[in-house]
Amino acid sequence: AKAEGRGTWRLYDVEMDERQKDRRILQSALRQAVLRDEFRLEYQPLVNLADGRIVGAEALLRWQHPERGLLPPGDFIALAEDAGLIGQIGEWVLGQACREAANWPEHVGIAVNLSPLQFRDSGLVEIIDRALAQAGLAPGRLELEITETTMLETNSETVDALWQLHGRGVRVALDDFGTGYSSLSYLRRFPFDKIKIDRSFIRDLGYEKDDSSIVLAIIGLAERMGMVVTAEGVETPRQAEILNSYGCGQAQGYLFSRPVSAAVFGELLVTGTPL
Ligand code: C2E
Ligand code: CA
Ligand code: CA
Ligand code: CA
């Protein structure tokens, strides 16, 4: 039994070593990825639920790794944060998203995800000002998506930055709403223009009574506070129908479109609807 125990430990150690080695290799590749122009943005349409028209897009980061292929953000964002690279990558995302959105019709907005670490960067307001100015994009067309986790880690400087950006007309969205902590107190203290209801509440809509109650309550709350609501992860016509009947303004999900390249998104904008 003793030998077996030691064997198990050894196996565990080897696995840990392998994983750490893999992380290190990926981190050093990540360090060069910006310079080597290996990042891409995909765009997922945001539609007005009542008529299916595209009102904007969320920019979603991809890494075209030379050997491993196209990697989703889940595979490298945390790594980039640990390696202190998220500021540089996030700045690229903001610049690229604003440049590409400047080619779209004026009523089509662009939403960009911000990491909590990026938000603690004292230069964030300047970085965003520069991205907008260089692209010639009106501030009102940019929306920043911030999660409750980000809010959890805020200090007074981040709060100032949020208000400054809001004052310039940049829109602020609370992402993954309902999955974090103390969501309601954030709504009171920060200038959110939008709530994005997390996909976990949308999934069983129409089958889980509690989910319906929660979604209805969020929509009602947002309405009274003058905020727009986007439902995330809408995959079925039934979910879209229910959300529309609840008065939910916008939706995003595979039902309408998967995230697509800038070129394909441009084609969707020609008809103005992904369906
Ligand atoms: P998120 O902000 O919640 O983005 C939505 C995620 O849900 C995207 O995954 C999208 O592809 C996926 N999705 C959209 N519609 C559906 C649907 O109908 N069903 C299902 N099952 N999934 C759907 P993705 O692209 O893998 O991004 C994952 C997360 O990575 C994002 O979650 C966001 O938190 C983060 N992320 C993406 N781009 C950036 C970025 O530029 N910077 C930072 N800091 N984080 C990013
Ligand atoms: Ca998001
Ligand atoms: Ca989300
Ligand atoms: Ca999410």
Side-chain angles (χ1 to χ4, degrees):
K2 210 174 169 190
E4 199 178 281
R6 261 166 54 193
T8 310
W9 269 109
R10 277 237 305 274
L11 199 71
Y12 183 66
D13 280 350
V14 169
E15 252 173 47
M16 286 281 280
D17 274 1
E18 281 295 308
R19 225 179 300 149
Q20 291 223 332
K21 210 171 120 200
D22 199 55
R23 275 173 64 88
R24 277 201 302 273
I25 291 170
L26 213 54
Q27 266 188 4
S28 71
L30 199 52
R31 208 158 269 126
Q32 299 168 57
V34 171
L35 300 172
R36 293 184 178 167
D37 199 24
E38 291 173 353
F39 289 114
R40 306 268 173 279
L41 289 181
E42 288 192 332
Y43 297 92
Q44 187 175 36
L46 257 89
V47 305
N48 182 14
L49 255 178
D51 61 9
R53 311 287 298 172
I54 297 173
V55 292
E58 177 175 2
L60 294 161
L61 184 59
R62 308 289 181 246
W63 179 14
Q64 184 65 61
H65 188 281
E67 285 121 38
R68 302 184 196 209
L70 199 66
L71 302 181
D75 286 7
F76 63 89
I77 290 278
L79 210 63
E81 288 174 340
D82 288 349
L85 296 167
I86 197 67
Q88 193 193 0
I89 295 172
E91 191 170 347
W92 179 86
V93 170
L94 279 161
Q96 180 74 357
C98 289
R99 272 192 300 277
E100 289 186 326
N103 299 320
W104 306 341
E106 262 169 39
H107 71 277
V108 180
I110 176 71
V112 172
N113 292 285
L114 287 188
S115 145
L117 294 182
Q118 237 179 317
F119 223 80
R120 266 185 281 170
D121 185 335
S122 57
L124 183 65
V125 177
E126 288 74 34
I127 287 169
I128 290 172
D129 277 345
R130 197 161 54 233
L132 289 167
Q134 284 178 355
L137 193 76
R141 290 180 61 193
L142 177 64
E143 190 160 79
L144 305 172
E145 297 197 359
I146 296 163
T147 64
E148 288 160 345
T149 316
T150 306
M151 302 312 297
L152 202 67
E153 295 171 13
T154 51
N155 53 30
S156 70
E157 276 172 36
T158 26
V159 177
D160 282 354
L162 209 55
W163 281 100
Q164 273 183 55
L165 290 162
H166 184 73
R168 284 159 163 73
V170 172
R171 301 166 52 80
V172 186
L174 187 53
D175 201 1
D176 299 347
F177 186 77
T179 58
Y181 301 100
S182 341
S183 338
L184 296 178
S185 76
Y186 296 136
L187 291 182
R188 205 165 40 147
R189 280 158 45 216
F190 303 104
F192 290 110
D193 300 288
K194 176 184 279 187
I195 289 177
K196 297 190 79 171
I197 305 179
D198 191 70
R199 168 166 96 230
S200 56
F201 297 108
I202 308 302
R203 193 171 38 223
D204 300 324
L205 212 56
Y207 304 97
E208 283 288 336
K209 204 166 132 274
D210 289 348
D211 286 346
S212 294
S213 306
I214 291 170
V215 168
L216 265 170
I218 296 173
I219 293 169
L221 180 73
E223 202 167 77
R224 277 177 223 167
M225 294 183 73
M227 293 183 285
V228 175
V229 179
T230 299
E232 295 192 284
V234 177
E235 296 182 348
T236 68
R238 178 172 172 157
Q239 290 164 344
E241 233 164 76
I242 293 172
L243 286 162
N244 190 35
S245 78
Y246 287 177
C248 178
Q250 300 179 358
Q252 181 181 351
Y254 295 165
L255 171 67
F256 308 102
S257 171
R258 298 216 165 221
V260 295
S261 68
V264 172
F265 185 68
E267 286 165 23
L268 295 178
L269 287 176
V270 174
T271 53
T273 163
L275 295 177

